[in-house]
Amino acid sequence: GFAPNIMLCILDIKFISLPSFCTFTLANSSIPMEPSYPNSTNGELFPWNELRLPASVRPVNYDLSLTPNLTSMTFTGRTVINMTILHDTKRIVLHSSELIITKATFQVGEDKSVEVKVLEYKPWQQIAVSFLEDLKVGQVCVLTLDYAANLSHTYDGFYNSSYNDKTGAKRVLAATQFEPQAARKAFPCFDEPAFKATFLVRITREPGYITLSNMPQVLCTTTLPSGLLEDEFEQTAVNMSTYLVAFIVANFTSITRNVSVYSVPEKKEHTHYALDTASTLLHFYNTFFHIDYPLRKLDLVAIPDFLAGAMENWGLITFRETSLLVGNQSSPLDKQLIANVVAHELAHQWFGNLVTMRWWNDLWLNEGFATYWQYTSLMTEFPQLDLDNVFLGVRFKAMAKDSLNSSHPVSVSSQVTTPEQVSEMFDSVTYEKGASLLLMLKTTLPDGQFRKGIIKYLDNYRGSNTVTEDLWNSLTQVGVQESVSDMMRTWTLQNGFPLVTVSRKGGHVTLTQEPFLLSADNATHTSNLWHIPVTYVNDNCSSAPSCRQIFTLRNKTATLNVSDSVKWLKLNYMNTGFYIVHYGDEGWATLIDALKTDINTLTPHDRASLIHNIFALSRSVCVFVLWHVLNLLDYTTNETETAPLTEALSQLSSVYRLLDKRQEQRLLARMKVYIWGHFGQLMDSQDWGEEESVSRQELRSVLLEMACSLGRQNCTDQATALYDQWTNSNQTKQIPGDLQQVVFSTAAQADLRWLSLMEAYSSTTYDSEKRKILQALASTQDPRSIVWILSTGLEGGIIQTQELPLVISTVSDGFAGHLLVWDFVKENWDRIIEKFPVGSYPIQSIIKSTTSQFSTQTHLEEVQGFFSSLKERGSQMRSVQESLETIRLNQLWMDRNLPTLRIWL
């Protein structure tokens, strides 16, 4: 029955929509009552009342047997969990989602196994077994669970997938995706990263399929009386978290060296580049980390229907086909993408798999590290892929996200408990800001110290789980000063980053720090301070690494002394620090003059850094007019390097798109003239033939994509001619890989060519080419085609549903589709979140791309109204707060800068 003041708890339910777990006091009594427990599916009380599992039981080993049926799309399983009791307890609580438990038995030590009742609390995906007497510390127990389930129709858990082979016949397969919290959909388990255990897997299959799992298969396959075959895999040689377990049933083929790459048979020829890259990088990581990869095999598998870019399952890394497969004739730019993903996932075999974060609030220890090593390993082993420019762009991207009030610290101390909150940790702060902070740390330390500290960290914690503090402690153990750990805490425990303002009187340079703010709304953070490793160069020595000097700014203000003869300072050498610099009117003028006099006085990265900083300042709360931006951009008529030009065009493109959505036609026409004046000559001088240099390919594709999208005749004529040659030759006359996007997108603007592209999309087997064609199809300005491509992407069929976020993002960029796509998302929201979990990266991407170019009060109110109406179907997501903040900032930017733009243009 209800206690008299149970209403206190009931009132809470309305606000948190979770079971109430308050402890309350009887009237006139100080005796606290027992916490209340939720009801299980059978009506009995469930014996646990928290989202996180109790720490009283630890799994030691799982013995998993699975029998998937690829005709009925169901599977049955048996999970035998050996566990030890760490604290006396009357309950065992673990995870299970969408599994029907058909039988459960429990055994303590050598006692007889007994059948037990399993209780389930579905909202938290938990099951439990209760006992009348305590299980005692140190006891060893075995829980055996038989169950049945449907193969998942979304992209997580144990899910079914299909593709058409070269004869057009449909082929089915089953694969897994467990990170972050979907192992519980395939087998009952303690589905939290800190519950590491060993795993033995058996899979029953039909002849004609192969099975793969984390470990090598034992030699013999057993034929069962039913005619089915059972494959058994060796027990894992390491303790690992449940989210890293993986298995696949498919008819794939492979090529092998010290690693193996699997694909559908038709695409076997597209696996060689991934094999070469993985082989080289495995050797690099083994050597660099002083710890050999610990398993006896490593498979890389291309899955036809896969939502993430890739997943680092230990020994069985799974990829989208577009992230692993590339033709021999593909461009170096296409290969760069494959190398990036392979390098990232291989780095995880150490950072994430060998050493794992204790909980998802410290996900950056996995993803920040894997992102950092992805670039570092490739810059070392594949310098021709030009990853330093890509890494620079990634740091700029991270700052764009982290400048929002709705951002979060890299290491989150506040609540990360619900599945949505966990999913939302997979964002550019965790990945790219995490990697940026590691780069800043590495460049601050003396040569070799960072590597020593990292090796110590891996050595200290191999096989176990860590928190961020463990990383700083490992660095201290190898002689890194304690002050460095103090410095890094200021960067990982608070969100945002600093603005450093420079003012100078003679030889005295005053540096002042404050949080970089885009609007006065987040003025609450103004007391934040960082320990900033300020690097700088001056006009006497400005481009060589040896010119770099360093000064740590710990307080609000500090003074730096330089020679009176120094004309100017450029802070944040090579943009390795995560901060923005404002030089004041005089400082900017001097730097701009220096660039106009000699463009090579600063490195290309430093020039890009100035462009990035000056645009960021134009959006900030600083009293900062657009004139500085325009003055700096005047130097770009002499610019030929990829990094600064890419940044300038990217920033101008953002402004252009905002004006386009506001239908500022006269301003748009003038802005085109401005862009032609600064970059037209360079655009027209680009060659349309094969180009070997990756850096030149990157620059050429950026220049020509902008030229053609703005309708520059020279560009559209060339692109159309190349497209027609390609179709007339039955696609045998190749278009250079880096030009395919601009050629296809230009062709897609004409109705007949759009239809021929649609045919090419259905027939091409090259995944990188297919994705570019899809983007081109989505760039059409024809409303009927836009409606068709959106609904086809949602259906999944001709266009796989995994590509819907890309389709939505591309449609959003164009004027014709940006309102259509927003209506489409609103109307189909429930179907979209059936396919992509609330809070997941695809949902973050969909929200950002459909709303980030709105800049009016009407749209702000509409977006706010829609998301607040969703309640638990998405209203609480951080990405919703980001989108509302972005619209307000766009409004602010327009109000502040439109008059200036009108005069300037």
Side-chain angles (χ1 to χ4, degrees):
F2 286 113
N5 47 356
I6 197 87
M7 285 306 291
L8 292 171
C9 289
I10 293 170
L11 288 172
D12 279 346
I13 292 176
K14 286 192 285 193
F15 297 108
I16 58 173
S17 65
L18 294 171
S20 54
F21 301 134
C22 31
T23 301
F24 37 79
T25 309
L26 283 170
N28 307 319
S29 162
S30 60
I31 305 166
M33 287 183 65
E34 282 294 308
S36 67
Y37 290 100
N39 286 331
S40 308
T41 45
N42 70 354
E44 290 182 39
L45 279 185
F46 191 76
W48 186 240
N49 59 9
E50 292 178 34
L51 263 168
R52 298 282 298 273
L53 298 180
S56 47
V57 178
R58 174 162 289 279
V60 176
N61 170 258
Y62 291 82
D63 190 318
L64 307 177
S65 301
L66 293 131
T67 305
N69 182 324
L70 295 182
T71 306
S72 63
M73 295 302 169
T74 57
F75 68 100
T76 56
R78 167 174 283 190
T79 297
V80 182
I81 311 173
N82 286 274
M83 56 188 90
T84 56
I85 308 302
L86 301 183
H87 307 287
D88 290 4
T89 183
K90 286 189 168 68
R91 64 196 159 205
I92 290 173
V93 185
L94 63 160
H95 290 109
S96 171
S97 176
E98 298 166 37
L99 306 176
I100 299 159
I101 309 288
T102 51
K103 185 182 178 185
T105 60
F106 189 73
Q107 182 182 14
V108 179
E110 298 300 314
D111 294 356
K112 191 169 176 250
S113 178
V114 293
E115 200 157 327
V116 288
K117 178 164 62 176
V118 176
L119 300 173
E120 181 172 22
Y121 183 56
K122 284 188 174 176
W124 286 357
Q125 305 176 345
Q126 290 175 354
I127 56 172
V129 178
S130 292
F131 304 93
L132 294 172
E133 293 179 19
D134 270 344
L135 299 168
K136 298 293 185 185
V137 173
Q139 284 184 322
V140 178
C141 312
V142 181
L143 176 63
T144 302
L145 297 157
D146 292 342
Y147 58 98
N150 291 318
L151 286 169
S152 165
H153 297 298
T154 56
Y155 292 102
D156 63 352
F158 192 16
Y159 72 95
N160 70 75
S161 172
S162 64
Y163 68 97
N164 293 329
D165 66 17
K166 61 185 172 198
T167 68
K170 184 180 178 182
R171 297 285 194 156
V172 291
L173 61 116
T176 57
Q177 169 61 39
F178 291 160
E179 190 181 30
Q181 297 181 315
R184 62 192 73 174
K185 291 185 173 184
F187 59 97
C189 57
F190 296 80
D191 200 10
E192 294 181 5
F195 287 108
K196 289 191 168 186
T198 55
F199 295 82
L200 188 148
V201 177
R202 288 181 205 84
I203 300 178
T204 302
R205 61 177 169 88
E206 292 176 26
Y209 287 96
I210 63 161
T211 58
L212 297 168
S213 188
N214 305 81
M215 294 295 286
Q217 199 176 315
V218 296
L219 289 176
C220 54
T221 291
T222 309
T223 303
L224 303 175
S226 61
L228 296 174
L229 305 174
E230 183 183 73
D231 295 329
E232 183 176 320
F233 297 87
E234 293 173 14
Q235 182 167 298
T236 55
V238 284
N239 280 327
M240 65 188 205
S241 305
T242 46
Y243 76 87
L244 293 168
V245 176
F247 29 87
I248 294 169
V249 182
N251 60 330
F252 289 163
T253 53
S254 67
I255 60 171
T256 301
R257 204 177 297 156
N258 56 342
V259 298
S260 299
V261 182
Y262 285 82
S263 69
V264 300
E266 290 82 350
K267 295 182 179 177
K268 186 176 179 179
E269 285 309 304
H270 302 181
T271 56
H272 294 283
Y273 182 74
L275 184 73
D276 292 342
T277 307
S279 187
T280 302
L281 289 170
L282 186 62
H283 179 260
F284 170 83
Y285 288 136
N286 277 336
T287 309
F288 197 92
F289 299 142
H290 286 194
I291 295 177
D292 281 349
Y293 171 75
L295 303 186
R296 289 207 301 113
K297 65 101 176 167
L298 177 58
D299 299 335
L300 285 66
V301 187
I303 311 267
D305 215 7
F306 191 77
L307 184 56
M311 176 60 212
E312 68 267 20
N313 316 299
W314 217 344
L316 185 66
I317 308 176
T318 46
F319 296 77
R320 260 189 198 211
E321 290 185 323
T322 48
S323 303
L324 189 68
L325 305 179
V326 67
N328 292 331
Q329 88 306 335
S330 294
S331 77
L333 214 47
D334 292 330
K335 290 175 178 171
Q336 185 198 68
L337 169 71
I338 307 302
N340 258 311
V341 184
V342 170
H344 183 95
E345 303 310 325
L346 257 63
H348 269 311
Q349 308 304 300
W350 287 262
F351 292 92
N353 300 10
L354 187 66
V355 179
T356 314
M357 80 268 137
R358 191 177 297 168
W359 183 246
W360 303 103
N361 64 311
D362 267 328
L363 179 62
W364 87 280
L365 292 172
N366 282 21
E367 298 299 352
F369 267 105
T371 306
Y372 172 78
W373 289 115
Q374 145 194 349
Y375 294 113
T376 304
S377 64
L378 292 174
M379 287 190 276
T380 308
E381 293 294 318
F382 299 91
Q384 73 279 12
L385 289 179
D386 194 46
L387 264 299
D388 52 347
N389 278 342
V390 180
F391 195 11
L392 179 68
V394 156
R395 305 199 291 278
F396 293 154
K397 177 187 167 192
M399 285 183 137
K401 166 106 170 176
D402 200 35
S403 60
L404 296 173
N405 194 23
S406 41
S407 182
H408 62 88
V410 162
S411 177
V412 180
S413 52
S414 59
Q415 267 200 330
V416 179
T417 44
T418 67
E420 291 79 16
Q421 288 167 340
V422 169
S423 290
E424 285 200 305
M425 288 303 296
F426 292 80
D427 68 2
S428 73
V429 170
T430 297
Y431 284 68
E432 283 97 352
K433 182 180 179 182
S436 305
L437 296 186
L438 291 170
L439 175 70
M440 182 169 70
L441 172 60
K442 194 256 180 193
T443 52
T444 304
L445 294 174
D447 270 1
Q449 264 206 314
F450 179 70
R451 182 183 179 189
K452 268 191 209 162
I454 293 311
I455 290 170
K456 186 71 179 165
Y457 170 72
L458 288 173
D459 204 40
N460 283 348
Y461 300 105
R462 58 160 90 189
S464 57
N465 298 78
T466 57
V467 294
T468 296
E469 206 53 34
D470 297 325
L471 174 62
W472 310 143
N473 292 340
S474 299
L475 286 165
T476 309
Q477 284 171 19
V478 296
V480 173
Q481 293 174 350
E482 186 63 46
S483 61
V484 173
S485 301
D486 293 341
M487 173 186 97
M488 291 310 294
R489 286 183 195 100
T490 69
W491 294 92
T492 56
L493 296 177
Q494 59 186 343
N495 59 304
F497 53 87
L499 166 65
V500 176
T501 303
V502 184
S503 61
R504 184 176 172 189
K505 283 186 181 151
H508 298 300
V509 177
T510 304
L511 304 180
T512 308
Q513 67 158 302
E514 60 192 297
F516 177 78
L517 301 177
L518 289 172
S519 73
D521 298 349
N522 40 3
T524 48
H525 299 307
T526 48
S527 59
N528 291 10
L529 285 178
W530 288 262
H531 293 188
I532 310 170
V534 176
T535 54
Y536 61 97
V537 291
N538 62 44
D539 56 296
N540 295 326
C541 181
S542 58
S543 55
S546 56
C547 300
R548 185 190 81 136
Q549 298 178 69
I550 191 160
F551 174 87
T552 304
L553 176 60
R554 290 189 177 85
N555 303 318
K556 175 87 176 158
T557 302
T559 302
L560 177 69
N561 293 317
V562 297
S563 159
D564 283 350
S565 64
V566 167
K567 292 195 187 75
W568 50 261
L569 291 176
K570 159 68 174 74
L571 272 59
N572 200 1
Y573 175 71
M574 295 289 282
N575 210 88
T576 56
F578 204 74
Y579 55 94
I580 276 175
V581 186
H582 184 13
Y583 296 93
D585 290 356
E586 212 175 303
W588 278 110
T590 319
L591 277 167
I592 290 165
D593 283 347
L595 279 181
K596 286 178 180 172
T597 308
D598 176 11
I599 200 168
N600 293 314
T601 195
L602 291 174
T603 66
H605 277 207
D606 281 310
R607 304 197 301 265
S609 163
L610 288 178
I611 292 168
H612 171 266
N613 282 205
I614 212 159
F615 270 99
L617 288 165
S618 78
R619 295 192 181 96
S620 75
V621 290
C622 294
V623 180
F624 191 81
V625 291
L626 217 50
W627 296 114
H628 287 308
V629 177
L630 316 178
N631 289 339
L632 175 63
L633 288 185
D634 282 347
Y635 103 86
T636 57
T637 49
N638 296 318
E639 184 60 85
T640 56
E641 289 293 334
T642 301
L645 283 167
T646 302
E647 182 58 17
L649 290 168
S650 162
Q651 295 284 2
L652 288 168
S653 179
S654 299
V655 174
Y656 188 92
R657 284 202 303 270
L658 272 182
L659 294 172
D660 186 32
K661 304 305 186 289
R662 285 279 282 255
Q663 298 189 57
E664 292 279 352
Q665 297 307 332
R666 289 180 65 195
L667 261 182
L668 285 169
R670 293 183 206 160
M671 194 165 173
K672 254 188 221 186
V673 172
Y674 174 83
I675 291 169
W676 299 156
H678 281 68
F679 308 101
Q681 208 174 341
L682 195 57
M683 289 167 170
D684 292 344
S685 68
Q686 294 305 302
D687 182 73
W688 289 72
E690 289 293 346
E691 166 63 69
E692 284 308 303
S693 155
V694 177
S695 178
R696 292 279 143 223
Q697 286 190 1
E698 285 169 328
L699 177 58
R700 176 168 80 167
S701 60
V702 167
L703 283 165
L704 295 178
E705 277 168 38
M706 185 165 219
C708 279
S709 69
L710 297 186
R712 192 166 180 85
Q713 189 81 39
N714 185 27
C715 184
T716 53
D717 287 352
Q718 292 264 31
T720 306
L722 268 184
Y723 181 77
D724 290 344
Q725 284 171 23
W726 182 69
T727 48
N728 295 339
S729 69
N730 208 12
Q731 300 174 19
T732 54
K733 184 157 178 33
Q734 286 298 318
I735 301 166
D738 61 303
L739 296 179
Q740 285 176 342
Q741 191 64 71
V742 66
V743 168
F744 294 152
S745 296
T746 304
Q749 306 317 309
D751 290 353
L752 286 175
R753 291 193 182 94
W754 192 89
L755 291 169
S756 71
L757 263 177
M758 193 63 238
E759 283 174 29
Y761 180 75
S762 305
S763 63
T764 185
T765 56
Y766 290 106
D767 292 291
S768 58
E769 188 172 274
K770 197 178 185 80
R771 206 151 198 251
K772 289 170 197 164
I773 294 173
L774 179 61
Q775 255 181 294
L777 291 167
S779 74
T780 176
Q781 297 301 291
D782 173 53
R784 282 167 305 181
S785 299
I786 290 169
V787 170
W788 180 86
I789 203 164
L790 288 169
S791 53
T792 308
L794 183 61
E795 286 304 318
I798 301 171
I799 297 167
Q800 291 175 313
T801 303
Q802 68 185 25
E803 298 292 11
L804 185 61
L806 175 72
V807 169
I808 286 175
S809 157
T810 310
V811 172
S812 299
D813 276 347
F815 179 75
H818 83 287
L819 296 177
L820 283 174
V821 74
W822 168 236
D823 286 342
F824 169 83
V825 166
K826 287 186 295 181
E827 284 162 22
N828 294 287
W829 182 256
D830 286 340
R831 287 181 67 195
I832 289 170
I833 60 172
E834 260 174 42
K835 294 171 187 291
F836 311 117
V838 171
S840 65
Y841 194 79
I843 291 291
Q844 293 174 42
S845 159
I846 287 168
I847 293 171
K848 181 180 177 182
S849 53
T850 50
T851 62
S852 65
Q853 292 170 58
F854 290 151
S855 61
T856 64
Q857 188 62 27
T858 310
H859 275 133
L860 176 64
E861 288 164 12
E862 192 181 314
V863 172
Q864 204 157 13
F866 171 69
F867 283 112
S868 59
S869 74
L870 294 178
K871 305 290 191 289
E872 74 285 352
R873 291 173 9 259
S875 65
Q876 298 305 309
M877 287 184 291
R878 188 187 293 119
S879 38
V880 172
Q881 305 316 311
E882 283 172 15
S883 83
L884 296 173
E885 191 180 348
T886 301
I887 298 169
R888 287 190 196 99
L889 290 168
N890 289 345
Q891 269 182 289
L892 195 66
W893 192 90
M894 284 291 185
D895 295 344
R896 205 189 288 157
N897 292 309
L898 267 185
T900 312
L901 270 176
R902 289 200 175 98
I903 296 164
W904 164 51
L905 292 172

